[in-house]
């Protein structure tokens, strides 16, 4: 694929990307998208997964569905395999606003009549069912396939001087749970493709630069993270977490309690854990031992919750005790967990005074536009201070807090590795961090002296102002503009900045974006937010009207 010198590829992995939108075209029937793989669609061959379309095929579809200089977008997406109203499969592209279109518009959108020829786009559209699973538990196979296909496509590009252009990837997804030490399956896959030892598709002229930007996550105020510390010696008291299971939750709920790293075999008996239902039924203790578990039953003797220990092998090499709850509501007969306040009692045993049990509630909400299912459970200890003296949400933990529930350490579990550039969100009008923007620090891997990161690398605009929350970008249909907020929209803004700067020779890595953020932070009113929330600083990136 021949491109001009100075070209940089923008690669987006997301759901519901309306790739026929005019902000991704340079002519009425000419797209800037060199390649798209639509993973939820029927296969285009007997052994393939999903559809794959190159520019010539997309242009042919545009021409076949354009009349009187207007594109029939519904028919275009139906023929492309992205929308199928007949089989009842939901596609976010059928809505007025879709996450993937908004993100891709921020990362690579331009007015059709003023589109550059040195900013090609490649993208992967993830299956809707994986996006609907907000825990991130089912995304791994699709993410790997998307990375395989997009990195191979990126290696096909050649500049006029024979060099391979850099490719900057944006993946605006995240989760709450996991070890948060850079060793989760998603974090490891990211390192496989973007780390210093990545084995990629060959580029016969030189080593192709591949970069990845991720959002820091939106869980800062979600009350889904706790840190259980057992200071002192002798008889140390147990810690109790009040865990609220929401009514009308049609999905399972999960709490993960990660133990400290230990090289000992067998593992020390760090703690024992019990769970108590809202009705007062208490489980037996679960210990740090293979096969240790306790089940809780309803009045009919059916299991509705389970507390169990498992050892996560290398490279994580840490134990985890997990509380799994059945749904609290179902449209068909099923054993249901009681909604309300559960108690999780953690009693110290051999845990050292300077170690801690790190706890996360898995993400379990329902995304806009999807059928109602999950409702996010959360911790609700009485000593957690939610608001300041004026009633505004507290975005950082109060100094000297004794509550185990923390805002610090809420960084997305996907974003804890060493190589990706991680972007938080700030409010452009006042320079303050958006309340929801998650923070570090993360956990050191396998007892290492320091973690891979202590927070995001930088922050970018996630909200125009406190009143005008979110930012404007492309809607699902040409000519429409919609508003979304979150660190998911801050990341593609930084992606676009990275693409433009790498076209001029910038290295575009973590250290580079931290320096850029530190320089641009002077454009905002002081004080500079904490490093664990904004990294090097606040990026002041202006994107001209994209459509």
């Amino acid at each position: 694929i021949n491109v001009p010198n100075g070209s940089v590829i923008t690669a987006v992995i997301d759901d519901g990307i309306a790739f026929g939108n005019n902000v991704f075209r340079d002519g009425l029937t000419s797209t800037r998208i060199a390649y798209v793989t639509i993973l939820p669609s029927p296969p285009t061959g007997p052994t393939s997964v999903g559809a794959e379309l190159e520019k010539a095929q997309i242009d042919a579809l545009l021409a076949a569905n354009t009349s009187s200089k207007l594109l029939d977008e519904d028919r275009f997406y139906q023929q492309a395999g992205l929308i199928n109203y007949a089989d009842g499969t939901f596609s976010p592209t059928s809505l007025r606003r879709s996450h993937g279109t908004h993100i891709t518009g921020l990362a690579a959108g331009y007015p059709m009549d003023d589109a550059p020829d040195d900013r090609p786009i490649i993208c992967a559209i993830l299956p809707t069912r994986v996006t609907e699973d907000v825990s991130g538990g089912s995304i791994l196979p699709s993410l790997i396939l998307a990375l395989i296909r997009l990195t191979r496509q990126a290696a096909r590009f050649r500049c006029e001087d024979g060099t391979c252009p850099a490719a900057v990837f944006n993946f605006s997804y995240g989760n709450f749970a996991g070890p948060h030490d850079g060793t989760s399956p998603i974090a490891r896959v990211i390192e496989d493709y973007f780390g210093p030892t990545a084995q990629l598709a060959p580029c016969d002229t030189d080593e192709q630069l591949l970069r990845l930007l991720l959002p820091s996550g939106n869980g800062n105020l979600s009350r889904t993270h706790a840190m259980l510390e057992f200071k002192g010696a002798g008889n140390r008291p147990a810690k109790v977490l009040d865990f609220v299971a929401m009514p009308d939750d049609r999905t399972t709920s999960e709490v993960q309690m990660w133990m400290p790293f230990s090289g000992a075999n067998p593992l020390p008996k760090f703690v024992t854990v019990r769970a108590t239902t809202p009705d007062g039924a208490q489980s037996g203790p679960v210990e740090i031992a293979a096969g240790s578990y306790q089940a809780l039953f309803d009045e009919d003797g059916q299991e509705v919750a389970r507390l169990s220990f498992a050892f996560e092998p290398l490279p994580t090499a840490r134990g985890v005790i997990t509380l799994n709850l059945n749904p609290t509501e179902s449209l068909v007969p099923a054993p249901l967990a009681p909604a309300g306040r559960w108690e999780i009692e953690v009693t110290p045993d051999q845990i050292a005074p300077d170690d801690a049990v790190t706890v996360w509630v898995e993400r379990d909400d329902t995304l806009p536009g999807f059928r109602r299912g999950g409702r996010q459970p959360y911790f609700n200890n009485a000593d957690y201070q939610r608001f300041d003296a004026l009633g505004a949400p507290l975005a950082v933990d109060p100094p000297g807090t004794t509550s185990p529930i923390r805002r610090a350490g809420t960084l997305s579990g996907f974003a804890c590795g060493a190589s990706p550039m991680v972007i938080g969100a700030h409010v452009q009008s006042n320079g303050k961090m958006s309340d929801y923007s998650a923070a570090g620090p993360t956990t050191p891997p396998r007892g290492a002296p320091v973690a891979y990161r202590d927070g995001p690398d930088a922050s970018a605009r996630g909200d125009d102002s406190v009143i005008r929350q979110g930012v404007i970008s492309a809607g699902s249909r040409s000519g429409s503009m919609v508003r979304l907020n979150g660190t998911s929209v801050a990341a593609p803004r930084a992606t676009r900045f990275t693409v433009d700067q790498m076209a001029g020779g910038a290295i575009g890595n973590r250290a580079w974006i931290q320096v850029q953020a530190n320089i641009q932070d002077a454009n905002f009113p002081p004080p500079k937010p904490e490093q664990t929330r904004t990294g090097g600083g606040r990026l002041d990136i202006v994107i001209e009207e994209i459509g």
Side-chain angles (χ1 to χ4, degrees):
I1 303 175
N2 296 313
V3 290
N5 290 337
S7 295
V8 177
I9 305 160
T10 303
V12 179
I13 302 173
D14 217 295
D15 76 307
I17 302 173
F19 59 92
N21 193 297
N22 59 9
V23 301
F24 311 130
R25 289 185 263 156
D26 53 14
L28 191 61
T29 58
S30 175
T31 183
R32 294 171 44 232
I33 295 179
Y35 170 86
V36 59
T37 177
I38 309 170
L39 298 183
S41 69
T44 53
T47 59
S48 63
V49 177
E52 297 181 83
L53 301 173
E54 297 190 3
K55 173 178 167 55
Q57 296 167 294
I58 299 172
D59 287 349
L61 281 172
L62 290 171
N65 293 283
T66 297
S67 177
S68 301
K69 297 185 178 181
L70 291 174
L71 175 66
D72 185 338
E73 297 186 56
D74 283 302
R75 191 170 67 180
F76 170 85
Y77 294 122
Q78 197 164 8
Q79 291 182 5
L82 189 55
I83 293 177
N84 189 341
Y85 295 113
D87 69 358
T89 302
F90 170 69
S91 171
T93 317
S94 63
L95 303 178
R96 182 179 69 91
R97 180 176 67 179
S98 63
H99 187 269
T101 310
H102 193 280
I103 271 38
T104 310
L106 287 171
Y110 286 90
M112 187 172 68
D113 297 332
D114 192 30
D117 61 357
D118 57 358
R119 295 291 183 271
I121 306 168
I122 57 177
C123 52
I125 302 175
L126 297 176
T128 301
R129 65 182 182 276
V130 235
T131 301
E132 188 175 15
D133 177 11
V134 293
S135 72
S138 58
I139 200 172
L140 187 61
S142 297
L143 175 62
I144 292 173
L145 181 57
L147 289 171
I148 289 172
R149 289 183 174 175
L150 293 186
T151 52
R152 286 177 177 173
Q153 290 297 320
R156 294 177 59 202
F157 286 80
R158 292 294 182 276
C159 293
E160 294 168 351
D161 59 8
T163 60
C164 293
V168 181
F169 285 65
N170 188 96
F171 180 48
S172 284
Y173 278 59
N175 74 335
F176 287 172
H180 284 73
D181 59 3
T183 66
S184 70
I186 295 290
R188 298 202 306 269
V189 165
I190 288 171
E191 286 303 305
D192 287 343
Y193 281 86
F194 300 95
T197 60
Q199 299 294 317
L200 304 173
C203 178
D204 55 16
T205 55
D206 56 4
E207 182 177 344
Q208 187 174 32
L209 293 179
L210 300 183
R211 301 290 185 254
L212 173 68
L213 286 95
L214 297 173
S216 66
N218 301 332
N220 191 55
L221 300 181
S222 61
R223 289 181 282 169
T224 55
H225 172 51
M227 183 78 73
L228 302 180
E229 299 172 303
F230 302 93
K231 303 293 186 181
N235 188 20
R236 297 173 288 179
K239 302 279 188 179
V240 176
L241 291 171
D242 290 340
F243 175 64
V244 177
M246 299 292 285
D248 201 26
D249 183 354
R250 299 174 187 173
T251 59
T252 59
S253 301
E254 181 171 296
V255 182
Q256 296 178 1
M257 291 158 271
W258 288 88
M259 301 299 120
F261 169 80
S262 174
N265 188 12
L267 290 174
K269 306 294 185 183
F270 293 113
V271 296
T272 57
V273 180
R274 294 175 183 264
T276 303
T277 72
D279 305 325
Q282 187 179 56
S283 74
V286 168
E287 302 176 336
I288 310 300
S292 180
Y293 81 95
Q294 296 288 335
L296 293 110
F297 303 91
D298 62 13
E299 57 186 12
D300 297 323
Q302 299 182 92
E303 184 176 328
V304 297
R306 177 171 290 225
L307 190 65
S308 59
F309 170 80
F311 180 76
E312 187 68 24
L314 287 170
T316 302
R318 291 164 61 196
V320 56
I321 293 178
T322 304
L323 174 64
N324 292 101
L325 271 60
N326 284 10
T328 61
E329 179 58 52
S330 176
L331 299 178
V332 297
L336 302 177
R341 189 183 301 269
W342 292 63
E343 286 189 356
I344 302 173
E345 183 183 52
V346 183
T347 304
D349 190 350
Q350 298 177 4
I351 188 169
D354 56 349
D355 279 334
V357 176
T358 51
V359 187
W360 282 274
V361 180
E362 185 55 276
R363 188 178 177 188
D364 186 30
D365 55 349
T366 300
L367 296 175
F370 287 82
R371 180 178 296 176
R372 185 166 54 88
R375 299 190 67 196
Q376 182 63 54
Y378 59 93
F379 296 127
N380 195 32
N381 285 33
D383 56 1
Y384 178 81
Q385 186 179 347
R386 292 183 62 192
F387 306 105
D388 64 18
L390 300 177
L394 272 175
V396 296
D397 295 315
T401 181
T402 59
S403 176
I405 306 170
R406 303 292 171 85
R407 301 161 181 87
T410 51
L411 197 74
S412 164
F414 291 179
C416 297
S419 296
M421 291 175 270
V422 177
I423 308 298
H426 63 246
V427 180
Q428 189 71 15
S429 63
N430 60 18
K432 295 183 178 180
M433 295 298 295
S434 300
D435 289 341
Y436 53 77
S437 185
T442 60
T443 304
R446 297 187 299 283
V450 294
Y452 288 132
R453 59 175 65 248
D454 56 10
D457 297 301
S459 66
R461 182 193 302 218
D463 298 281
D464 289 337
S465 72
V466 176
I467 302 301
R468 292 174 61 84
Q469 295 183 0
V471 299
I472 289 287
S473 183
S476 297
R477 297 298 176 264
S478 297
S480 66
M481 306 295 283
V482 295
R483 186 175 289 273
L484 281 176
N485 73 339
T487 57
S488 286
V489 305
R493 187 175 292 269
T495 296
R496 191 188 194 101
F497 173 71
T498 303
V499 166
D500 290 342
Q501 295 299 306
M502 291 186 73
I507 191 66
N509 57 14
R510 282 186 62 191
W512 169 83
I513 205 165
Q514 290 170 9
V515 170
Q516 298 302 310
N518 186 52
I519 294 170
Q520 295 181 31
D521 194 84
N523 297 340
F524 294 92
K528 184 178 180 179
E530 296 86 349
Q531 183 176 355
T532 56
R533 299 201 68 205
T534 194
R538 295 162 287 186
L539 291 164
D540 186 22
I541 304 166
V542 177
I543 297 178
E544 300 297 334
E545 190 71 26
I546 63 174

